[in-house]
Every structure is written in C-alpha cells, then in structure tokens.
Amino acid sequence: MARFEQDVAVYDSRRPDEPPDAHSRPTSEPAWVKWTLIGIAVLFLAALLLLPLLTVFTQALSKGIGTFLAAFTDPAGAAAIRLTLLVTAIAVPLNLVFGVCAAWAIAKYEFWGKSFLTTLIDIPFSVSPVISGMIYVILFGANSVLYPYLHDAHLQIVFAVPGIVLATIFVTFPFVARELIPLMQDQGTAEEEAALSLGANGWQTFWRVTLPNIRWGLLYGVLLCNARAMGEFGAVSVISGHIRGKTNTMPLHIELLFDSYNFAGAFAMASLLALLALVTLVAKTLLELRYGDELAATRRH
C-alpha cells in the first residue's frame, strides 16, 4: 500500500507539460508496432473504401461533364432523385418521433415486456432487408387478407410509394432509438423529477430538460438514419416493382442503368449517392470536432 501511495504521489507531482513515463502508458510496445498498426489500418481503408470511391467518380466523369449531367436531367433519373428525397423526408421524421418515444418509454419507465420491446427494436439489424420487403408484399399484396379492404379504399401499398416508405421505415427505425436508449438510461430521471417538483408539466420538462440533454445523440441518430434511408436497396427492390419513373429510387435506378450497360449514367447517379453520404460524414465529423465531449457522453454504451 505504501509503494502504491508513493507511485501516485510521484505521478501527481509531474508538471502538466511533462510526458508520462513508460510505466504510465496504456501499452508498452515499441513505436514501430504503433506505426505498423496505423499503416495496416490506413492501407485497409484505402483499398476497401477510398479506392472504390475514387473509381466511382472517375467512371462517372469518364465520358465528359455533359454525359454526367445528363444522368440527372433524364426524366427517369430526375424521378428517382425526387422519390428518394421524398421517401427520406417521410421516413426520417417518423423514425425520429418513434425513436424518442421508444427511448423515453424504455429508459424512464419500468413495465412488463420492456426487454422484449428492446429486442424488437433490434430486429431490422438481424433480418435481411429483402425478407422485410417480402413480408410487406405478403401483408399487402393481391393475395393478402388485407388486399380487398385496401382495394375498396383505393389504397395501393405494394408497387407504390406507400410501400417504399413502409419498407424504408422498417429498415431504418432502430438508428435513432438505439442512439437515445443508452443515453437516457445513463442520465436517469433525477433532472426530470426535479423539474416536475418545481412545477413544470410533462411537455415543459421534455423541451427544457430532456431534449437539451439528448440533442447531440438525437442529431447523430438522425444523420445515420438519413444516410441509411437514401441508400436502401434490398427491401425497396422487392416492394417497389421496379416501375421506371414511378417507383425506382436512386439505388434501383443505378441497377437499371448498370444492367442496360449505361455505365457512365450508373456511376454518375452512384456519385450523387456517394456525395450525399460524404455530406453526412462531414456533418458527423464536424459534430465530433465541435462537440466532441458532449457527443462522447451521449454515445456512452
């Protein structure tokens, strides 16, 4: 015990600008091990991420800027872009509301079936998107029990925009909830109880206490959800019917162009999706640089 106290005293007596000795380092490997691991990570990322991304933009511009822009002004391509943005604009806000409600219920209340609800939220992570699309076809297709009622109400789910929205919501709804649940559980209920004891109602407590505490985790989850919604292929491919100009989102339109040997157009549309993903990545990086400490607290699992 005396030896331990002596070591602590020596460590605390160091100047703030004094580098730690070898015994205080988290690892004791030589410098070449560190740089070797860094080199392996950089090479891996360059080979599997940066090189394919560079290839996409190179192929997109291989036939000139005119061909590149024509992919976006083409009626089918423009319709795919509009549909992707529309589906994302519907799915992300709905998942935001669901994520906040689910996280609030799981983190703030104790009830029977709580662990089962948490497991259900993780289902889209374990189920193939293609299977989820098939489930919606079975539920709302022409051979389903619900189809006569939908037909009488003039509602078309399969091979239409509502089905695409439902499939996109299904595959993306865990992102916001899974970011918020551990955050709210770590924060507990002390601050909300204090606000209520001071006379605030439930709505005031949420806006002035809960929301400021979860804002960065919420924004981070929305960014991930948005990126996933724009790039979804499997579930949308099954339920959309691949109707050109009507139910083809950007990923489906890319497949159509590629199958038609229009490689320049396919890569041009793929470059737009890549740019949207890069915008999401830049936004995520700026958040982490500007609010690193707060984001680290919100992502503590």
Side-chain angles (χ1 to χ4, degrees), residues 161-175:
V161 175
I164 298 174
V165 172
L166 285 175
T168 304
I169 290 174
F170 177 84
V171 299
T172 58
F173 78 78
F175 288 96

Side-chain angles (χ1 to χ4, degrees), residues 138-183:
I138 294 173
L139 286 175
F140 303 111
N143 295 323
S144 69
V145 177
L146 297 176
Y147 181 78
Y149 304 100
L150 296 173
H151 184 268
D152 292 341
H154 303 287
L155 293 176
Q156 184 175 354
I157 305 297
V158 179
F159 307 149
V161 175
I164 298 174
V165 172
L166 285 175
T168 304
I169 290 174
F170 177 84
V171 299
T172 58
F173 78 78
F175 288 96
V176 176
R178 292 309 300 173
E179 284 293 324
L180 294 182
I181 289 172
L183 169 61

Side-chain angles (χ1 to χ4, degrees), residues 234-247:
V236 173
S237 177
V238 175
I239 202 170
S240 69
H242 291 265
I243 304 175
R244 186 166 186 167
K246 293 185 178 181
T247 63

